[in-house]
Amino acid sequence: MKSSEVREKFLKFFESKGHKLLPSAPLVPQDDPTLLWINAGMAPFKDYFNGSAIPPKRRVSTSQKCIRTNDIENVGKTARHHTFFEMLGNFSFGDYFKEDAINWAYEFLTEWMNFDPDKFWVSIYKDDDEAFEIWTKQVGFPKERIVRMDKDENFWEIGTGPCGPCSEIHYDRGVDYGCSDDCELGCDCDRYLEIWNLVFTQYNKTEDGEYLELPNKNIDTGMGLERIVSLLQDAPTNFETDLFMPMINYIADNADVKYGDSKETDMALKVIADHIRSISFAIADGALPSNEGRGYVVRRILRRAVRYAKVLGLEIPFLHTIVPIVVEVMGDHYSQLVDMEEQIKKIVKQEEIRFEETLEQGMDILEEVIAELKKKDAKVIPGDKVFTLYDTYGFPKELTEEIAGEQGYEIDHAGFEKSMEEQRNRARAARQDYDQGHSELELYKAIREELGQDDFVGYEEFEVETEVLSLVKDQQKVEEVAVGDKAQVILAKTPFYSEGGGQAGDQGIIINTNAQLRVVDTREIAEMTVHEVEIEEGELKVNDQVQAIVSGELRTATARHHTATHLLHKALKEFLGEHVNQAGSLVTPTRLRFDFSHFEAIKEEELEKIEARVNEQILANLVVDAREMPIKEAKELGAMALFGEKYGEEVRVVTAGDYSIELCGGTHVRATGEIGLFKILNESGIAAGVRRIEAVTGHEALDYVKKQEGTIRTIADKLKSSPKEVVTKVDSLQSQIKELEKELTSLKDKLASSQSGDLISEAEELNGIKTILHSIDGIDADGLRKMGDNLKDKLDSGIVVLASKLDGKVIFIAIVTKDLVKAGYHAGNIIREVAKVAGGGGGGRPDMAQAGGSKPDKIEEALAKAKELILAE
């Protein structure tokens, strides 16, 4: 039976028992900051189990994607460890309980899967007589194959809260899988394979350690798809099933090895097959490789797979070519894999290339460290060395630990953490002094407790009459401020929007008959709106009545840019994929900056389409609406929430027609037509998997267009043409340049030919080999190669090493004729040592190699080194 059939039968069985079939939740937990990944079938349903949310139905069944990496080092070594797996589960939220859960599990295994019931063993919690009665009297299961176990094995609880006993169903695979003829259930060997765990959540554990009966009892079961498939396909391990073998066979064919021939290559094949599944599913669910959080886990898994690919001698990049097989095996049930296939391949390939660039260098350093430890007879790699490999060469700490462990070495965890903390301290030192910020926060907390919450009315009003509640100068509360002072003002009611959500704080003025204050910025501290002011005229006192006036021009310009970020976010998802999510933003009156998750530079034609789509929505003059609503309702409408942001029960939802809908507290235009024009200025990468777009709207966009037109006119004047003819004129000049380059190349060839004739006569014999060692000034790399080729053609057998001083640097080439390559001479090895003398490096093929150096004054010494190397062979 195929794995896809097993999954389908399981879900159909429980559908026939009145369960609602739900799709697998994404691997990235939704609204659960306690989890890095969904790691169990029940994880997405925690709110249903604790009663804080109402389930769509009281009976539910799923096949849930899961990732666990706590024991990643065992993957490939054991029969059943995986980083990615599927958990088949049926759940009851206060509906059925033990009787149905046990009977249905047995019915499914014996009647739908046709397992031999004599092969089953059951474990129960030692005091769970109810489960024992159901198994023996209702199911008719032999009591001699029911084993009572202690709390550690058969009772599920995490701290306080809902908990309960469980009953596990095991399959006896026979003595061939056991550690001895008389091993029993509970042994760690593979004989008694646990396939299904039925958890009966019937108690609530109190802080005092009491177990109180729950009024609504729940059922939570989990059966690993990989395990049940291994039994149905009579596979010794999970890996010899149709879930893994298509990938394993493909990898083995490409590595020219055979699965089953070697323990070492088998482990590598299994690790790669397991890891590429995890990587593919994680990326499909929006977790891109990076240096922190989930992204770090993805990168760590991928880099571990790369290392094992290199163990098999596979040429990197390779892993991305396995992705279509993952899609073929799993895509019938997980359609997002099919939709994201090309993007997954691109991301994996990019990561492979990035890691390949540093892997060899990092491995060399690690080998040097281990060599030094051998001399000292030490067995622990210092933490600062582990940190350097992580920080500079992208080696996850765990990868270094694993490689070291294979050679009998450990790593200094404490030293690594110390280096990490030192780096964090350096980063903190670069930010604003913590103590000052902390005291400022405490000050405004005290003000809020004393005076109460201020009132923001800036969504509707730009100007209000209000009262001065508090004044702060130099981190101290004061009763008044005067002309020339810089201070902070708290108002009872304010139209000023404080900096937040990427939007810059408002500017404007605060005035009355006695004073005029310029508001240079608005911030939120301790949930209070703080107006940063400069007193331009008069004096202001606490309790004064004032007029607070926001700069309408700046606010409107900011609103244009903010609404444009929403349109841009949606357009990016349309053209690049649903994996795109906001990673940061800045919205000011003069520009917008939008950071987002994406794995590669955006092509020029894609940027043009994105820009055009945003402008289409501007021209459509969509109504922009902002409404307060419960967060649940907002998500049902499809509002985009920013990952990692915390939202209350009530949220503000901003829509632009039917095109864009996001949770947002910022200020916006009333209709998209007010944005006027949207122009992208720049697109760049700012971190692994994070891109940035900078753009302008409104007057700033018009100014940008005017400047571009001015530049074109200036170029046209210099080319003595009109703006319309600039492109034609440039094409003509490029054609002329190409012709001149051809003439130059021809002259270089003639020069190389004429000079090579002279150099042939200067050839000397070293170890019986015709050798030309010569320096020529002013010839570029291309000219030097051509001269070398000419000399090689004129030499039947020989070695040529040439150097050229150019622009304050030196270029080297080495050429070895084929007969001497066979004799053991290697141009790449020669040039590497020669270049070192001149402060450079390089390498190449055995017959031709090129290098550079920064010390042209060392050319003669470098050529002497070449002579020494040839004589030493």
Side-chain angles (χ1 to χ4, degrees):
M1 190 183 295
K2 291 182 179 178
S3 55
S4 57
E5 294 177 86
V6 178
R7 185 193 299 113
E8 185 180 2
K9 280 199 170 194
F10 179 88
L11 295 173
K12 280 188 175 179
F13 173 80
F14 281 101
E15 187 176 37
S16 74
K17 302 298 184 184
H19 289 62
K20 182 178 179 64
L21 303 186
L22 294 180
S24 172
L27 285 164
V28 176
Q30 308 296 298
D31 304 317
D32 189 349
T34 66
L35 289 178
L36 194 64
W37 301 100
I38 292 297
N39 58 9
M42 61 76 63
F45 304 136
K46 284 167 70 174
D47 290 346
Y48 301 154
F49 281 117
N50 64 29
S52 62
I54 299 173
K57 193 172 181 179
R58 292 172 71 191
R59 298 181 180 188
V60 162
S61 183
T62 62
S63 179
Q64 176 61 48
K65 300 173 288 186
C66 301
I67 281 183
R68 291 181 193 171
T69 58
N70 55 311
D71 48 8
I72 190 173
E73 69 281 353
N74 288 324
V75 174
K77 294 179 182 176
T78 69
R80 324 219 174 268
H81 274 96
H82 303 293
T83 54
F84 172 89
F85 59 95
E86 283 184 80
M87 189 61 74
L88 305 172
N90 58 292
F91 308 92
S92 167
F93 310 112
D95 187 19
Y96 62 85
F97 198 49
K98 290 183 188 178
E99 184 176 339
D100 288 329
I102 291 172
N103 278 287
W104 289 340
Y106 193 73
E107 180 185 346
F108 176 75
L109 291 173
T110 57
E111 296 181 23
W112 284 57
M113 294 289 102
N114 296 315
F115 279 113
D116 179 357
D118 293 336
K119 295 288 187 181
F120 288 125
W121 283 69
V122 168
S123 65
I124 61 172
Y125 177 54
K126 63 180 182 179
D127 297 333
D128 194 355
D129 295 331
E130 182 184 5
F132 183 82
E133 291 291 313
I134 295 168
W135 275 113
T136 55
K137 293 185 178 178
Q138 293 190 29
V139 175
F141 198 80
K143 61 178 66 177
E144 61 271 16
R145 293 212 307 273
I146 299 176
V147 180
R148 293 178 183 261
M149 290 191 169
D150 289 334
K151 207 171 187 181
D152 289 346
E153 287 82 18
N154 277 72
F155 197 96
W156 184 89
E157 66 179 354
I158 302 177
T160 59
C163 58
C166 57
S167 179
E168 296 173 342
I169 303 172
H170 305 256
Y171 188 85
D172 182 0
R173 304 205 77 180
V175 293
D176 290 345
Y177 286 88
C179 54
S180 65
D181 291 345
D182 56 353
C183 74
E184 300 176 344
L185 186 67
C187 181
D188 289 335
C189 69
D190 282 341
R191 175 170 178 174
Y192 296 98
L193 182 64
E194 179 202 331
I195 56 174
W196 206 341
N197 188 12
L198 316 178
V199 179
F200 313 126
T201 311
Q202 65 187 92
Y203 300 112
N204 182 55
K205 184 182 180 183
T206 67
E207 295 284 351
D208 298 329
E210 282 189 273
Y211 291 89
L212 305 178
E213 286 277 348
L214 285 169
N216 293 314
K217 298 176 174 62
N218 304 315
I219 288 293
D220 158 26
T221 86
M223 175 164 60
L225 176 67
E226 291 78 9
R227 290 195 177 199
I228 193 74
V229 169
S230 72
L231 291 177
L232 290 164
Q233 296 181 4
D234 195 25
T237 76
N238 293 358
F239 290 98
E240 285 89 359
T241 66
D242 68 338
L243 288 165
F244 292 95
M245 285 311 297
M247 290 171 282
I248 287 174
N249 288 334
Y250 172 80
I251 301 162
D253 288 346
N254 279 272
D256 198 23
V257 299
K258 188 176 179 182
Y259 184 70
D261 279 359
S262 158
K263 186 177 179 181
E264 289 72 23
T265 58
D266 280 1
M267 179 176 173
L269 293 167
K270 289 188 277 191
V271 167
I272 298 167
D274 170 90
H275 287 10
I276 197 65
R277 289 208 317 166
S278 296
I279 295 160
S280 298
F281 274 97
I283 293 172
D285 280 353
L288 300 181
S290 69
N291 282 334
E292 58 187 16
R294 295 177 188 86
Y296 175 73
V297 175
V298 177
R299 177 163 286 166
R300 176 187 167 199
I301 294 172
L302 198 152
R303 291 187 168 183
R304 191 171 188 265
V306 168
R307 191 174 78 84
Y308 277 97
K310 291 182 77 68
V311 167
L312 292 175
L314 291 161
E315 188 173 339
I316 302 301
F318 169 75
L319 300 182
H320 68 284
T321 68
I322 316 172
V323 172
I325 303 173
V326 179
V327 174
E328 184 180 343
V329 172
M330 311 291 284
D332 61 333
H333 188 70
Y334 297 106
S335 59
Q336 73 269 34
L337 278 179
V338 180
D339 298 337
M340 290 282 289
E341 179 178 347
E342 289 305 313
Q343 289 167 332
I344 296 168
K345 284 165 61 179
K346 284 181 182 178
I347 295 169
V348 172
K349 184 176 182 180
Q350 181 180 326
E351 274 295 305
E352 288 185 85
I353 292 169
R354 180 182 284 123
F355 189 40
E356 173 73 0
E357 291 170 355
T358 60
L359 180 60
E360 289 188 14
Q361 196 172 4
M363 287 295 291
D364 288 345
I365 289 170
L366 183 55
E367 289 301 327
E368 288 174 11
V369 172
I370 289 173
E372 287 297 315
L373 292 175
K374 282 180 180 175
K375 292 178 185 176
K376 299 174 184 176
D377 198 26
K379 285 292 182 180
V380 180
I381 298 175
D384 61 332
K385 300 291 185 183
V386 179
F387 178 77
T388 299
L389 284 165
Y390 161 77
D391 193 46
T392 307
Y393 301 101
F395 266 51
K397 178 189 72 173
E398 297 82 3
L399 181 57
T400 301
E401 183 176 24
E402 189 172 336
I403 295 169
E406 289 170 359
Q407 299 188 47
Y409 291 83
E410 299 176 0
I411 67 170
D412 174 16
H413 289 276
F416 174 82
E417 291 303 326
K418 181 183 176 184
S419 295
M420 282 289 288
E421 186 58 31
E422 288 172 355
Q423 187 192 54
R424 293 188 192 106
N425 289 336
R426 289 191 293 270
R428 290 189 194 107
R431 295 194 295 266
Q432 185 178 11
D433 181 78
Y434 172 78
D435 291 333
Q436 180 180 340
H438 186 68
S439 61
E440 183 180 59
L441 177 63
E442 293 303 317
L443 171 64
Y444 282 103
K445 277 183 179 178
I447 291 172
R448 187 188 67 206
E449 289 172 8
E450 177 190 352
L451 302 174
Q453 191 71 52
D454 54 355
D455 184 17
F456 171 67
V457 295
Y459 289 136
E460 300 82 21
E461 301 179 63
F462 279 34
E463 180 178 342
V464 296
E465 288 186 12
T466 184
E467 179 186 355
V468 176
L469 292 181
S470 186
L471 294 170
V472 174
K473 179 183 172 186
D474 299 328
Q475 300 273 339
Q476 299 290 327
K477 286 176 63 179
V478 295
E479 289 300 310
E480 64 180 76
V481 290
V483 63
D485 285 344
K486 293 182 178 180
Q488 293 85 41
V489 178
I490 302 292
L491 301 174
K493 183 166 62 173
T494 179
F496 285 83
Y497 182 86
S498 56
E499 178 185 354
Q503 180 173 326
D506 277 337
Q507 299 178 38
I509 58 172
I510 297 173
I511 58 172
N512 64 14
T513 54
N514 299 320
Q516 178 170 312
L517 291 72
R518 183 161 61 90
V519 180
V520 296
D521 195 9
T522 309
R523 297 186 293 144
E524 182 182 294
I525 307 174
E527 299 180 13
M528 301 288 284
T529 302
V530 178
H531 307 81
E532 299 280 352
V533 301
E534 295 176 359
I535 295 84
E536 296 180 327
E537 295 178 18
E539 61 182 25
L540 187 72
K541 297 179 180 178
V542 174
N543 299 326
D544 277 359
Q545 296 295 307
V546 293
Q547 199 81 4
I549 306 169
V550 172
S551 169
E553 183 181 346
L554 294 178
R555 165 73 79 81
T556 301
T558 301
R560 290 191 188 105
H561 285 107
H562 201 153
T563 306
T565 64
H566 286 212
L567 302 179
L568 173 61
H569 193 180
K570 177 65 174 179
L572 287 166
K573 283 181 173 286
E574 281 187 283
F575 288 100
L576 302 182
E578 284 299 318
H579 66 280
V580 169
N581 283 302
Q582 181 174 334
S585 71
L586 175 67
V587 178
T588 74
T590 58
R591 68 188 178 107
L592 71 86
R593 188 183 73 208
F594 190 77
D595 301 338
F596 55 97
S597 53
H598 189 53
F599 47 86
E600 63 182 351
I602 304 174
K603 297 181 179 69
E604 192 64 38
E605 56 268 27
E606 289 175 325
L607 277 177
E608 289 174 3
K609 288 176 183 177
I610 290 163
E611 182 180 273
R613 180 56 53 85
V614 173
N615 281 308
E616 281 175 18
Q617 305 309 316
I618 292 170
L619 288 171
N621 200 26
L622 305 173
V623 173
V624 178
D625 181 48
R627 288 183 293 147
E628 298 278 342
M629 64 178 68
I631 190 166
K632 183 180 178 183
E633 183 182 337
K635 290 183 177 180
E636 287 172 356
L637 288 173
M640 281 193 280
L642 302 187
F643 186 75
E645 286 286 320
K646 292 183 178 179
Y647 298 98
E649 287 303 310
E650 288 288 317
V651 292
R652 188 166 179 265
V653 179
V654 176
T655 58
D658 294 328
Y659 185 69
S660 167
I661 176 169
E662 292 196 29
L663 304 184
C664 179
T667 61
H668 292 270
V669 296
R670 292 163 298 183
T672 58
E674 295 177 25
I675 297 171
L677 176 66
F678 173 81
K679 284 297 299 178
I680 292 175
L681 305 182
N682 184 48
E683 189 274 340
S684 61
I686 61 167
V690 182
R691 308 296 300 177
R692 170 173 291 172
I693 282 179
E694 296 174 271
V696 288
T697 67
H699 296 299
E700 296 294 327
L702 291 172
D703 288 344
Y704 173 77
V705 171
K706 285 178 185 177
K707 287 176 183 175
Q708 294 294 96
E709 288 176 345
T711 300
I712 292 170
R713 282 195 297 272
T714 301
I715 294 170
D717 289 343
K718 290 183 180 292
L719 294 173
K720 294 182 173 56
S721 69
S722 69
K724 290 181 180 179
E725 296 170 339
V726 164
V727 175
T728 305
K729 188 73 173 178
V730 169
D731 287 342
S732 174
L733 287 172
Q734 285 182 326
S735 295
Q736 291 179 38
I737 290 168
K738 284 180 181 176
E739 289 301 317
L740 290 170
E741 285 175 344
K742 284 181 184 178
E743 290 182 27
L744 181 61
T745 300
S746 177
L747 289 171
K748 282 181 179 179
D749 289 345
K750 289 176 182 177
L751 178 64
S753 179
S754 64
Q755 289 188 323
S756 62
D758 296 335
L759 291 177
I760 286 292
S761 61
E762 295 181 16
E764 59 181 314
E765 286 206 4
L766 301 175
N767 279 349
I769 298 168
K770 288 181 183 177
T771 307
I772 297 173
L773 308 172
H774 198 79
S775 170
I776 309 137
D777 288 347
I779 296 181
D780 63 14
D782 186 49
L784 209 61
R785 279 195 301 272
K786 286 180 178 175
M787 184 177 291
D789 286 338
N790 274 321
L791 289 168
K792 182 183 74 172
D793 292 342
K794 292 177 180 178
L795 286 172
D796 290 332
S797 173
I799 297 174
V800 178
V801 181
L802 301 177
S804 174
K805 178 182 176 182
L806 185 70
D807 298 329
K809 294 184 179 180
V810 58
I811 305 163
F812 295 101
I813 67 148
I815 293 175
V816 178
T817 54
K818 288 183 179 179
D819 60 315
L820 294 176
V821 169
K822 291 178 181 177
Y825 291 91
H826 193 292
N829 294 341
I830 293 171
I831 209 71
R832 186 181 298 111
E833 298 303 316
V834 168
K836 280 182 184 177
V837 176
R845 304 190 310 268
D847 60 328
M848 199 284 284
Q850 180 178 320
S854 59
K855 301 175 181 178
D857 57 312
K858 300 283 188 180
I859 285 177
E860 291 306 318
E861 287 182 41
L863 293 176
K865 182 66 175 179
K867 186 173 184 177
E868 177 188 325
L869 291 168
I870 295 166
L871 285 169
E873 280 292 329

